[in-house]
Amino acid sequence: MTAKGARMQPMETPILPAQRPAEQMISVVVPVVERVDDLTALYRAFAGELKRLGEEFEFLFVFDGGFAPSPELTALAAGSDHIRLHRFAQRFGETAALRLGIERSRGDLLITLPSYFQVLPEGLGPLIAAVSGGAEMAVANRSPRLDSWLNRLQSRAFHQILGNIADTRFHDMACGVRVMRRTVAESLPLYGDMHRFIPALAVREGYKVSEIPVPQHPNDARMRVYGPGVYFRRLLDIATFFFVAKFTEKPLRFFGLVGSVSLAIGGAIGLALIVEKIGGHPISNRPLLLLGVLLVALGVQLIGLGLVGEIIVHLRAPHRRVYRVREQV
Amino acid sequence: MTSSTPVAEPYLSVVAPLYNESENVAPLIEWILEALRDFPRSFEVVLVDDGSRDDTWTKVVNGAAANSQVRGIRLARNAGQTAAMMAGFDHARGQVIVSLDGDLQNDPRDIAALVSRLEEGYDLVCGWRQQRQDKLLLRKVPSWVANRMIRRLTGVPITDNGCSLKAYRRELLDRIPLYAEQHRFIPALSASVGARIAEMPVRHHARRFGESKYGISRTVKVLVDLLTLKMITTFRSRPLLGFLIATALPLTAAVAFGIMWLIALTQFGHDKARAMVFPAAAALSLAAAFYLFMLGLVAEVALSNERESANATPTAWEAR
């Protein structure tokens, strides 16, 4: 029982009292999911770079379920004010890890960093400079890419599809290295697997996002072959993003359109069969009738689904704000 | 034009959404201030820049700097006319709020008249554009059709729903659920919470600068939105009933296919296999009816939370 209780409790270092005003600190959030390199080495490399830049910083490692800090990292954290470790009791995924990191961090500037060497530490400087220079978010674009042609082709296809949906074209949304202001991070709708779309979400919220070329780390550039499940999930992610981006305010615009098309085709089939029947041909042996009925039923169902969505949006409307004010005079 | 002392809690807020109206900002401010010079009570002008791509915001900043009664709000991105109006309403501090278009087509000289009409005991006074100065085929005819349908379906006898020039009481705006592209339905939404509504003729001018942001495709969207709104307002408190009514269609179809099956059986006699399409169609229709019923249950569940909060703050207009 005690063992189970201990497992259910996320292991956390106590939240440190803020030693400096938050506006002068950079919080680096490292979600530890899937791929992990030596985190002490990662910390030393990037913390060294931040020190060199003369920045005050903290590192928040958020371990997803199934991952644990190595003894070296725990020892390092115990002896340092700069490192805080959080650990999920079960697998919640990267988006949840980012959310926790954002919530628990104290800096006014946030950096998200993958738990493996994706870019060279020298890349942080230009990213931070971009945000200091007016952008509200700066995302890394690994360039030059050292990956295999296959991975580059996949990435290009992904961004092509997404670019057609979102208003802005990004080149490397899979790169987890991003610098953003705290206000931006806190206003992003992060849930599910939406972390993949952080730059596009920020643009949708009306933030200025700039893409900065950052040299890729040689370790990152290895041939990766994914199973079909990964591609399927990626497609679902894009579909979700598309739906959320276009139709959360007006679900019936989407369901109604698809439903009406189905209804119209089904209705046309029914009409054609009625004409045949009047013309003297029996329709009792026409499987086409089934298709017609199926399409009509489907259409009605889809429109019904859209209406349920509309009712929910309608009743939520008083609690939602669909605009964001940039400035006021 | 020198500014008077800043207004702390103005009585009247004039809200105008602006989208790429650079040339219209300065004349608009001047015109509103001119029209309200003799207005007996304090007022403010709230200009909302809806993520314009031109220098509308610079003009707003200049206007606000020159006149203490003028305030500006800049949205982070183009959020649409309804959202821009909402932003203006949320930032307006007056007890009475007047909205108007930022394109100079509404006449600010009508504001005072609308307000005094409101003071006669209404919650909403809608402008009714006389001698509308727009293109006949592209704007006026679709608008006429849309207004007729809105009147028919909502039962609110307002002639000109599309006119932005309206006067509201603050308490009314706090009560109506405004979202997406629903500013056109403000009269209908207001009526559904029990507001007292009046309509009065206002002047209308042709566009001087810039171009219209409307097209004919909007009318189709308006009609779809209207049907949606009608269904929602009718069934928002009892969605299951709505879906039960909707099941009538597939249920009828199922019965019809069943009857056709029986007829076919008597005709074909021993050759029963030939008539298998009908029972299958009947089963499909039944499944659709069942699905709609389930959807109604889902809607009920989805609303249970909202209804609890709705009980705390009744949607009906009670004490004035």
Side-chain angles (χ1 to χ4, degrees):
Chain A
M1 194 59 214
T2 42
K4 198 184 175 195
R7 206 183 67 83
M8 294 303 287
Q9 283 293 321
M11 190 190 84
E12 284 170 12
T13 55
I15 296 170
L16 300 168
Q19 289 135 350
R20 298 170 57 103
E23 59 267 17
Q24 285 176 25
M25 181 159 63
I26 294 181
S27 296
V28 184
V29 177
V30 186
V32 185
V33 291
E34 293 176 30
R35 242 173 109 186
V36 187
D37 282 350
D38 178 10
L39 291 176
T40 36
L42 185 89
Y43 169 74
R44 289 213 173 89
F46 283 92
E49 178 65 14
L50 286 175
K51 251 178 226 155
R52 202 182 62 75
L53 293 168
E55 304 281 359
E56 193 69 22
F57 61 87
E58 62 172 356
F59 272 67
L60 290 95
F61 290 92
V62 184
F63 291 86
D64 202 2
F67 292 90
S70 64
E72 295 85 45
L73 187 67
T74 317
L76 196 64
S80 166
D81 286 347
H82 292 301
I83 309 179
R84 285 151 67 200
L85 307 177
H86 297 276
R87 192 171 162 193
F88 283 147
Q90 2 164 345
R91 247 174 224 275
F92 287 119
E94 188 169 342
T95 302
L98 283 172
R99 273 192 74 135
L100 183 81
I102 291 165
E103 276 164 25
R104 297 289 166 90
S105 64
R106 296 166 304 171
D108 73 314
L109 210 60
L110 285 160
I111 299 183
T112 66
L113 196 68
S115 53
Y116 53 94
F117 285 99
Q118 201 174 31
V119 299
L120 295 175
E122 296 90 275
L124 288 187
L127 285 170
I128 296 169
V131 174
S132 314
E136 285 158 308
M137 178 188 285
V139 294
N141 173 20
R142 284 168 289 179
S143 162
R145 280 304 277 264
L146 311 169
D147 291 292
S148 67
W149 62 270
L150 182 68
N151 289 120
R152 272 185 292 181
L153 192 72
Q154 289 169 7
S155 158
R156 186 168 291 192
F158 177 80
H159 290 99
Q160 183 81 34
I161 299 171
L162 209 67
N164 292 337
I165 296 167
D167 303 332
T168 326
R169 176 71 59 94
F170 289 100
H171 299 90
D172 194 7
M173 292 233 272
C175 185
V177 185
R178 316 169 190 100
V179 180
M180 64 192 95
R181 293 190 186 285
R182 158 155 233 106
T183 45
V184 179
E186 282 172 350
S187 67
L188 291 179
L190 284 180
Y191 63 89
D193 260 347
M194 295 302 259
H195 66 89
R196 275 178 225 294
F197 304 105
I198 283 175
L201 288 172
V203 168
R204 240 184 69 73
E205 292 288 314
Y207 292 112
K208 276 175 268 176
V209 182
S210 48
E211 211 178 32
I212 308 289
V214 167
Q216 190 177 12
H217 198 283
N219 283 8
D220 182 40
R222 58 181 175 208
M223 175 90 154
R224 287 182 293 275
V225 181
Y226 303 108
V230 170
Y231 294 107
F232 184 65
R233 278 198 296 266
R234 220 50 102 240
L235 271 179
L236 280 187
D237 285 345
I238 294 179
T240 308
F241 178 77
F242 175 68
F243 187 81
V244 168
K246 303 265 173 183
F247 300 110
T248 32
E249 283 288 301
K250 299 256 83 190
L252 194 62
R253 289 261 165 89
F254 177 77
F255 289 109
L257 184 71
V258 180
S260 307
V261 169
S262 174
L263 206 58
I265 298 175
I269 291 174
L271 213 63
L273 287 174
I274 290 171
V275 169
E276 276 195 35
K277 173 86 176 168
I278 292 167
H281 300 279
I283 58 168
S284 58
N285 55 352
R286 299 291 303 277
L288 191 62
L289 178 69
L290 277 187
L291 182 65
V293 174
L294 183 69
L295 286 174
V296 170
L298 195 67
V300 172
Q301 291 169 2
L302 282 170
I303 293 172
L305 210 53
L307 272 174
V308 171
E310 287 283 340
I311 294 177
I312 294 173
V313 172
H314 181 86
L315 285 159
R316 288 264 164 85
H319 317 295
R320 295 186 63 219
R321 280 290 156 261
V322 291
Y323 60 86
R324 201 173 63 74
V325 173
R326 186 188 289 287
E327 50 190 313
Q328 227 176 314
V329 290
Chain B
M1 189 176 292
T2 48
S3 51
S4 52
T5 48
V7 199
E9 279 271 302
Y11 172 71
L12 167 72
S13 296
V14 179
V15 172
L18 306 160
Y19 179 56
N20 293 345
E21 300 284 3
S22 173
E23 291 153 304
N24 286 327
V25 177
L28 180 71
I29 294 174
E30 198 178 316
W31 208 9
I32 294 175
L33 293 179
E34 172 73 29
L36 290 177
R37 199 194 302 166
D38 297 329
F39 191 72
R41 308 187 64 165
S42 57
F43 69 93
E44 63 172 358
V45 180
V46 181
L47 301 175
V48 185
D49 175 13
D50 185 15
S52 296
R53 290 176 194 280
D54 61 6
D55 61 345
T56 298
W57 178 244
T58 322
K59 300 282 173 65
V60 172
V61 172
N62 293 342
N67 309 284
S68 64
Q69 285 127 318
V70 178
R71 296 163 62 208
I73 297 159
R74 186 189 193 188
L75 302 190
R77 66 181 163 117
N78 182 239
Q81 198 181 347
T82 306
M85 282 171 74
M86 278 170 62
F89 294 158
D90 291 345
H91 287 82
R93 297 168 301 176
Q95 302 161 39
V96 171
I97 295 167
V98 170
S99 63
L100 80 168
D101 274 336
D103 57 8
L104 302 180
Q105 289 196 265
N106 295 133
D107 195 324
R109 285 175 293 172
D110 291 317
I111 293 175
L114 283 172
V115 173
S116 50
R117 191 72 195 273
L118 194 77
E119 285 162 348
E120 285 170 22
Y122 294 100
D123 301 306
L124 169 66
V125 180
C126 304
W128 172 11
R129 287 166 288 185
Q130 306 290 305
Q131 285 142 32
R132 219 177 134 182
Q133 305 292 320
D134 278 319
K135 289 192 181 110
L136 178 72
L137 212 59
L138 281 175
R139 299 287 306 278
K140 286 209 253 186
V141 172
S143 159
W144 184 78
V145 173
N147 276 314
R148 250 192 102 80
M149 291 202 56
I150 294 175
R151 262 204 310 279
R152 273 296 279 280
L153 277 173
T154 63
V156 181
I158 294 295
T159 328
D160 188 4
N161 287 280
C163 180
S164 297
L165 188 54
K166 291 187 176 80
Y168 323 77
R169 277 184 203 281
R170 157 104 281 161
E171 306 87 69
L172 173 67
L173 288 177
D174 291 341
R175 275 165 186 269
I176 52 176
L178 212 52
Y179 65 97
E181 289 161 29
Q182 293 213 327
H183 61 273
R184 230 170 257 93
F185 305 126
I186 286 175
L189 287 166
S190 304
S192 80
V193 298
R196 282 180 293 183
I197 305 170
E199 188 173 36
M200 64 181 291
V202 295
R203 284 162 276 209
H204 193 245
H205 303 282
R207 221 172 211 287
R208 279 202 278 163
F209 306 108
E211 23 185 271
S212 169
K213 281 88 189 177
Y214 286 123
I216 196 154
S217 68
R218 182 149 310 229
T219 313
V220 179
K221 284 185 182 169
V222 169
L223 291 182
V224 173
D225 285 352
L226 175 65
L227 288 171
T228 312
L229 185 75
K230 173 68 183 168
M231 278 188 253
I232 288 174
T233 47
T234 313
F235 294 112
R236 72 175 156 202
S237 53
R238 41 191 199 288
L240 188 57
L241 179 67
F243 281 98
L244 276 179
I245 294 172
T247 56
L249 178 76
L251 277 182
T252 316
V255 171
F257 285 124
I259 293 171
M260 284 160 89
W261 183 30
L262 290 179
I263 295 171
L265 278 183
T266 56
Q267 277 179 357
F268 295 124
H270 56 278
D271 194 7
K272 289 193 177 71
R274 291 194 63 192
M276 282 314 284
V277 166
F278 287 138
L284 259 176
S285 305
L286 268 182
F290 187 66
Y291 176 89
L292 284 176
F293 174 65
M294 289 292 147
L295 210 53
L297 286 182
V298 170
E300 287 284 342
V301 172
L303 294 195
S304 57
N305 267 346
E306 313 292 336
R307 199 169 294 143
E308 273 162 29
S309 55
N311 281 344
T313 51
T315 37
W317 199 257
E318 8 156 58
R320 269 172 219 279

